[in-house]
mmCIF file of all heavy atoms in Angstrom:
data_model
loop_
_atom_site.group_PDB
_atom_site.id
_atom_site.type_symbol
_atom_site.label_atom_id
_atom_site.label_comp_id
_atom_site.label_asym_id
_atom_site.label_seq_id
_atom_site.Cartn_x
_atom_site.Cartn_y
_atom_site.Cartn_z
ATOM 1 N N ILE L 42 -10.435 -2.404 -3.546
ATOM 2 C CA ILE L 42 -10.179 -3.806 -3.898
ATOM 3 C C ILE L 42 -11.375 -4.389 -4.639
ATOM 4 O O ILE L 42 -11.227 -5.002 -5.696
ATOM 5 C CB ILE L 42 -9.854 -4.633 -2.638
ATOM 6 C CG1 ILE L 42 -8.488 -4.207 -2.074
ATOM 7 C CG2 ILE L 42 -9.859 -6.126 -2.945
ATOM 8 C CD1 ILE L 42 -8.171 -4.774 -0.706
ATOM 9 N N LEU L 43 -12.572 -4.194 -4.098
ATOM 10 C CA LEU L 43 -13.768 -4.767 -4.715
ATOM 11 C C LEU L 43 -14.075 -4.163 -6.083
ATOM 12 O O LEU L 43 -14.703 -4.803 -6.920
ATOM 13 C CB LEU L 43 -14.972 -4.608 -3.785
ATOM 14 C CG LEU L 43 -14.906 -5.429 -2.494
ATOM 15 C CD1 LEU L 43 -16.064 -5.062 -1.573
ATOM 16 C CD2 LEU L 43 -14.893 -6.917 -2.790
ATOM 17 N N SER L 44 -13.635 -2.923 -6.306
ATOM 18 C CA SER L 44 -13.875 -2.287 -7.604
ATOM 19 C C SER L 44 -12.822 -2.680 -8.634
ATOM 20 O O SER L 44 -12.942 -2.342 -9.808
ATOM 21 C CB SER L 44 -13.914 -0.764 -7.452
ATOM 22 O OG SER L 44 -12.629 -0.284 -7.109
ATOM 23 N N GLY L 45 -11.781 -3.382 -8.190
ATOM 24 C CA GLY L 45 -10.722 -3.788 -9.105
ATOM 25 C C GLY L 45 -9.663 -2.731 -9.314
ATOM 26 O O GLY L 45 -8.757 -2.901 -10.127
ATOM 27 N N ASN L 46 -9.755 -1.628 -8.577
ATOM 28 C CA ASN L 46 -8.758 -0.565 -8.705
ATOM 29 C C ASN L 46 -7.486 -0.872 -7.918
ATOM 30 O O ASN L 46 -6.489 -0.176 -8.072
ATOM 31 C CB ASN L 46 -9.336 0.774 -8.234
ATOM 32 C CG ASN L 46 -10.421 1.255 -9.163
ATOM 33 O OD1 ASN L 46 -10.391 0.998 -10.352
ATOM 34 N ND2 ASN L 46 -11.407 1.934 -8.609
ATOM 35 N N MET L 47 -7.525 -1.905 -7.077
ATOM 36 C CA MET L 47 -6.363 -2.285 -6.295
ATOM 37 C C MET L 47 -6.424 -3.797 -6.071
ATOM 38 O O MET L 47 -7.477 -4.329 -5.747
ATOM 39 C CB MET L 47 -6.367 -1.543 -4.949
ATOM 40 C CG MET L 47 -5.187 -1.875 -4.073
ATOM 41 S SD MET L 47 -4.954 -0.711 -2.711
ATOM 42 C CE MET L 47 -6.360 -1.024 -1.699
ATOM 43 N N ARG L 48 -5.299 -4.455 -6.287
ATOM 44 C CA ARG L 48 -5.239 -5.898 -6.047
ATOM 45 C C ARG L 48 -4.846 -6.131 -4.593
ATOM 46 O O ARG L 48 -3.875 -5.555 -4.108
ATOM 47 C CB ARG L 48 -4.217 -6.542 -6.982
ATOM 48 C CG ARG L 48 -4.183 -8.059 -6.897
ATOM 49 C CD ARG L 48 -3.251 -8.691 -7.916
ATOM 50 N NE ARG L 48 -1.892 -8.278 -7.691
ATOM 51 C CZ ARG L 48 -1.093 -7.740 -8.621
ATOM 52 N NH1 ARG L 48 -1.530 -7.550 -9.841
ATOM 53 N NH2 ARG L 48 0.133 -7.399 -8.332
ATOM 54 N N PRO L 49 -5.582 -6.980 -3.878
ATOM 55 C CA PRO L 49 -5.218 -7.247 -2.486
ATOM 56 C C PRO L 49 -3.864 -7.953 -2.423
ATOM 57 O O PRO L 49 -3.593 -8.829 -3.238
ATOM 58 C CB PRO L 49 -6.345 -8.155 -1.986
ATOM 59 C CG PRO L 49 -6.921 -8.779 -3.203
ATOM 60 C CD PRO L 49 -6.731 -7.775 -4.307
ATOM 61 N N ASN L 50 -3.024 -7.544 -1.464
ATOM 62 C CA ASN L 50 -1.701 -8.164 -1.379
ATOM 63 C C ASN L 50 -1.635 -9.275 -0.330
ATOM 64 O O ASN L 50 -0.577 -9.831 -0.077
ATOM 65 C CB ASN L 50 -0.613 -7.111 -1.136
ATOM 66 C CG ASN L 50 -0.755 -6.385 0.172
ATOM 67 O OD1 ASN L 50 -1.392 -6.855 1.114
ATOM 68 N ND2 ASN L 50 -0.161 -5.207 0.245
ATOM 69 N N LEU L 51 -2.758 -9.568 0.315
ATOM 70 C CA LEU L 51 -2.860 -10.656 1.291
ATOM 71 C C LEU L 51 -1.827 -10.523 2.409
ATOM 72 O O LEU L 51 -1.374 -11.505 2.969
ATOM 73 C CB LEU L 51 -2.749 -12.022 0.599
ATOM 74 C CG LEU L 51 -3.696 -12.247 -0.578
ATOM 75 C CD1 LEU L 51 -3.455 -13.605 -1.214
ATOM 76 C CD2 LEU L 51 -5.142 -12.083 -0.158
ATOM 77 N N GLY L 52 -1.462 -9.278 2.707
ATOM 78 C CA GLY L 52 -0.506 -9.002 3.781
ATOM 79 C C GLY L 52 0.932 -8.967 3.322
ATOM 80 O O GLY L 52 1.816 -8.577 4.068
ATOM 81 N N ASN L 53 1.188 -9.350 2.084
ATOM 82 C CA ASN L 53 2.553 -9.379 1.560
ATOM 83 C C ASN L 53 2.809 -8.125 0.732
ATOM 84 O O ASN L 53 2.707 -8.137 -0.488
ATOM 85 C CB ASN L 53 2.771 -10.642 0.718
ATOM 86 C CG ASN L 53 4.205 -10.821 0.302
ATOM 87 O OD1 ASN L 53 5.041 -9.956 0.533
ATOM 88 N ND2 ASN L 53 4.485 -11.938 -0.330
ATOM 89 N N PHE L 54 3.132 -7.021 1.420
ATOM 90 C CA PHE L 54 3.319 -5.744 0.732
ATOM 91 C C PHE L 54 4.648 -5.678 -0.012
ATOM 92 O O PHE L 54 4.785 -4.925 -0.961
ATOM 93 C CB PHE L 54 3.216 -4.580 1.732
ATOM 94 C CG PHE L 54 4.144 -4.708 2.894
ATOM 95 C CD1 PHE L 54 5.425 -4.199 2.842
ATOM 96 C CD2 PHE L 54 3.729 -5.358 4.048
ATOM 97 C CE1 PHE L 54 6.281 -4.335 3.915
ATOM 98 C CE2 PHE L 54 4.573 -5.492 5.122
ATOM 99 C CZ PHE L 54 5.864 -4.983 5.064
ATOM 100 N N ALA L 55 5.631 -6.474 0.398
ATOM 101 C CA ALA L 55 6.945 -6.459 -0.251
ATOM 102 C C ALA L 55 6.888 -7.118 -1.631
ATOM 103 O O ALA L 55 7.456 -6.610 -2.597
ATOM 104 C CB ALA L 55 7.978 -7.154 0.628
ATOM 105 N N GLU L 56 6.202 -8.261 -1.723
ATOM 106 C CA GLU L 56 6.053 -8.977 -2.987
ATOM 107 C C GLU L 56 4.587 -9.363 -3.171
ATOM 108 O O GLU L 56 4.196 -10.496 -2.901
ATOM 109 C CB GLU L 56 6.923 -10.233 -2.995
ATOM 110 C CG GLU L 56 8.400 -9.938 -2.959
ATOM 111 C CD GLU L 56 9.221 -11.228 -2.956
ATOM 112 O OE1 GLU L 56 8.826 -12.179 -3.659
ATOM 113 O OE2 GLU L 56 10.229 -11.258 -2.246
ATOM 114 N N PRO L 57 3.761 -8.407 -3.607
ATOM 115 C CA PRO L 57 2.325 -8.677 -3.739
ATOM 116 C C PRO L 57 2.049 -9.843 -4.692
ATOM 117 O O PRO L 57 2.702 -9.970 -5.721
ATOM 118 C CB PRO L 57 1.758 -7.383 -4.313
ATOM 119 C CG PRO L 57 2.816 -6.360 -4.126
ATOM 120 C CD PRO L 57 4.119 -7.079 -4.059
ATOM 121 N N PRO L 58 1.099 -10.688 -4.341
ATOM 122 C CA PRO L 58 0.773 -11.832 -5.198
ATOM 123 C C PRO L 58 0.025 -11.395 -6.459
ATOM 124 O O PRO L 58 -0.597 -10.349 -6.492
ATOM 125 C CB PRO L 58 -0.140 -12.681 -4.306
ATOM 126 C CG PRO L 58 -0.754 -11.707 -3.367
ATOM 127 C CD PRO L 58 0.280 -10.641 -3.131
ATOM 128 N N GLU L 59 0.112 -12.239 -7.474
ATOM 129 C CA GLU L 59 -0.637 -12.009 -8.707
ATOM 130 C C GLU L 59 -2.085 -12.427 -8.462
ATOM 131 O O GLU L 59 -2.406 -13.094 -7.483
ATOM 132 C CB GLU L 59 -0.034 -12.822 -9.859
ATOM 133 C CG GLU L 59 1.357 -12.377 -10.241
ATOM 134 C CD GLU L 59 1.412 -10.945 -10.747
ATOM 135 O OE1 GLU L 59 0.487 -10.530 -11.494
ATOM 136 O OE2 GLU L 59 2.358 -10.225 -10.395
ATOM 137 N N TRP L 60 -2.969 -12.086 -9.409
ATOM 138 C CA TRP L 60 -4.390 -12.414 -9.268
ATOM 139 C C TRP L 60 -4.614 -13.920 -9.110
ATOM 140 O O TRP L 60 -5.523 -14.351 -8.406
ATOM 141 C CB TRP L 60 -5.199 -11.871 -10.434
ATOM 142 C CG TRP L 60 -5.658 -10.463 -10.216
ATOM 143 C CD1 TRP L 60 -5.253 -9.357 -10.895
ATOM 144 C CD2 TRP L 60 -6.614 -10.013 -9.242
ATOM 145 N NE1 TRP L 60 -5.880 -8.243 -10.398
ATOM 146 C CE2 TRP L 60 -6.732 -8.632 -9.381
ATOM 147 C CE3 TRP L 60 -7.367 -10.652 -8.264
ATOM 148 C CZ2 TRP L 60 -7.575 -7.858 -8.585
ATOM 149 C CZ3 TRP L 60 -8.207 -9.888 -7.473
ATOM 150 C CH2 TRP L 60 -8.310 -8.499 -7.634
ATOM 151 N N LYS L 61 -3.782 -14.711 -9.763
ATOM 152 C CA LYS L 61 -3.933 -16.167 -9.669
ATOM 153 C C LYS L 61 -3.822 -16.631 -8.214
ATOM 154 O O LYS L 61 -4.615 -17.452 -7.748
ATOM 155 C CB LYS L 61 -2.865 -16.842 -10.548
ATOM 156 C CG LYS L 61 -3.012 -18.323 -10.671
ATOM 157 C CD LYS L 61 -1.960 -18.871 -11.633
ATOM 158 C CE LYS L 61 -2.113 -20.374 -11.788
ATOM 159 N NZ LYS L 61 -1.129 -20.918 -12.722
ATOM 160 N N GLU L 62 -2.848 -16.088 -7.501
ATOM 161 C CA GLU L 62 -2.671 -16.438 -6.090
ATOM 162 C C GLU L 62 -3.806 -15.881 -5.228
ATOM 163 O O GLU L 62 -4.234 -16.515 -4.265
ATOM 164 C CB GLU L 62 -1.330 -15.905 -5.578
ATOM 165 C CG GLU L 62 -0.128 -16.581 -6.173
ATOM 166 C CD GLU L 62 1.154 -15.921 -5.708
ATOM 167 O OE1 GLU L 62 1.445 -15.976 -4.490
ATOM 168 O OE2 GLU L 62 1.844 -15.331 -6.565
ATOM 169 N N VAL L 63 -4.280 -14.693 -5.565
ATOM 170 C CA VAL L 63 -5.388 -14.085 -4.819
ATOM 171 C C VAL L 63 -6.632 -14.962 -4.955
ATOM 172 O O VAL L 63 -7.316 -15.254 -3.964
ATOM 173 C CB VAL L 63 -5.666 -12.640 -5.306
ATOM 174 C CG1 VAL L 63 -6.938 -12.084 -4.687
ATOM 175 C CG2 VAL L 63 -4.474 -11.738 -5.006
ATOM 176 N N LEU L 64 -6.911 -15.401 -6.180
ATOM 177 C CA LEU L 64 -8.068 -16.271 -6.401
ATOM 178 C C LEU L 64 -7.926 -17.581 -5.638
ATOM 179 O O LEU L 64 -8.894 -18.098 -5.085
ATOM 180 C CB LEU L 64 -8.253 -16.537 -7.898
ATOM 181 C CG LEU L 64 -8.673 -15.334 -8.740
ATOM 182 C CD1 LEU L 64 -8.679 -15.685 -10.220
ATOM 183 C CD2 LEU L 64 -10.018 -14.801 -8.300
ATOM 184 N N LYS L 65 -6.721 -18.108 -5.592
ATOM 185 C CA LYS L 65 -6.473 -19.345 -4.842
ATOM 186 C C LYS L 65 -6.719 -19.124 -3.348
ATOM 187 O O LYS L 65 -7.280 -19.977 -2.668
ATOM 188 C CB LYS L 65 -5.034 -19.805 -5.081
ATOM 189 C CG LYS L 65 -4.705 -21.140 -4.488
ATOM 190 C CD LYS L 65 -3.277 -21.532 -4.847
ATOM 191 C CE LYS L 65 -2.913 -22.845 -4.185
ATOM 192 N NZ LYS L 65 -1.520 -23.217 -4.477
ATOM 193 N N HIS L 66 -6.325 -17.962 -2.844
ATOM 194 C CA HIS L 66 -6.526 -17.624 -1.431
ATOM 195 C C HIS L 66 -8.013 -17.624 -1.066
ATOM 196 O O HIS L 66 -8.397 -18.056 0.018
ATOM 197 C CB HIS L 66 -5.910 -16.253 -1.124
ATOM 198 C CG HIS L 66 -6.186 -15.740 0.252
ATOM 199 N ND1 HIS L 66 -5.492 -16.162 1.353
ATOM 200 C CD2 HIS L 66 -7.103 -14.858 0.713
ATOM 201 C CE1 HIS L 66 -5.954 -15.563 2.428
ATOM 202 N NE2 HIS L 66 -6.934 -14.762 2.064
ATOM 203 N N PHE L 67 -8.846 -17.125 -1.977
ATOM 204 C CA PHE L 67 -10.283 -17.025 -1.712
ATOM 205 C C PHE L 67 -11.068 -18.248 -2.208
ATOM 206 O O PHE L 67 -12.294 -18.208 -2.255
ATOM 207 C CB PHE L 67 -10.857 -15.749 -2.339
ATOM 208 C CG PHE L 67 -10.418 -14.490 -1.647
ATOM 209 C CD1 PHE L 67 -9.535 -13.614 -2.259
ATOM 210 C CD2 PHE L 67 -10.879 -14.186 -0.381
ATOM 211 C CE1 PHE L 67 -9.134 -12.455 -1.618
ATOM 212 C CE2 PHE L 67 -10.476 -13.034 0.271
ATOM 213 C CZ PHE L 67 -9.603 -12.165 -0.355
ATOM 214 N N ARG L 68 -10.364 -19.322 -2.555
ATOM 215 C CA ARG L 68 -11.013 -20.536 -3.065
ATOM 216 C C ARG L 68 -12.085 -21.033 -2.092
ATOM 217 O O ARG L 68 -11.889 -21.061 -0.878
ATOM 218 C CB ARG L 68 -9.979 -21.632 -3.296
ATOM 219 C CG ARG L 68 -10.563 -22.836 -3.978
ATOM 220 C CD ARG L 68 -9.569 -23.942 -4.226
ATOM 221 N NE ARG L 68 -8.263 -23.676 -3.657
ATOM 222 C CZ ARG L 68 -7.126 -24.116 -4.164
ATOM 223 N NH1 ARG L 68 -7.128 -24.837 -5.234
ATOM 224 N NH2 ARG L 68 -5.981 -23.845 -3.587
ATOM 225 N N GLY L 69 -13.231 -21.402 -2.640
ATOM 226 C CA GLY L 69 -14.326 -21.909 -1.821
ATOM 227 C C GLY L 69 -15.152 -20.821 -1.158
ATOM 228 O O GLY L 69 -16.065 -21.094 -0.404
ATOM 229 N N ASN L 70 -14.833 -19.578 -1.463
ATOM 230 C CA ASN L 70 -15.491 -18.428 -0.860
ATOM 231 C C ASN L 70 -16.245 -17.692 -1.972
ATOM 232 O O ASN L 70 -15.840 -17.734 -3.136
ATOM 233 C CB ASN L 70 -14.388 -17.534 -0.257
ATOM 234 C CG ASN L 70 -14.890 -16.365 0.519
ATOM 235 O OD1 ASN L 70 -15.799 -15.664 0.083
ATOM 236 N ND2 ASN L 70 -14.282 -16.121 1.660
#
């Protein structure tokens, strides 16, 4: 994930979120 070889799915393996949603999840971090 940290190397960019895999996008984190935030637990939603059926419909993985796009990078925009991932960035929103980590907002303020």
Side-chain angles (χ1 to χ4, degrees):
I42 291 170
L43 293 173
S44 68
N46 292 328
M47 180 165 68
R48 186 175 63 233
N50 63 21
L51 308 178
N53 188 354
F54 54 89
E56 294 179 38
E59 294 298 320
W60 273 113
K61 187 176 181 179
E62 292 175 65
V63 171
L64 292 174
K65 186 177 177 182
H66 174 80
F67 289 110
R68 187 180 5 211
N70 185 315

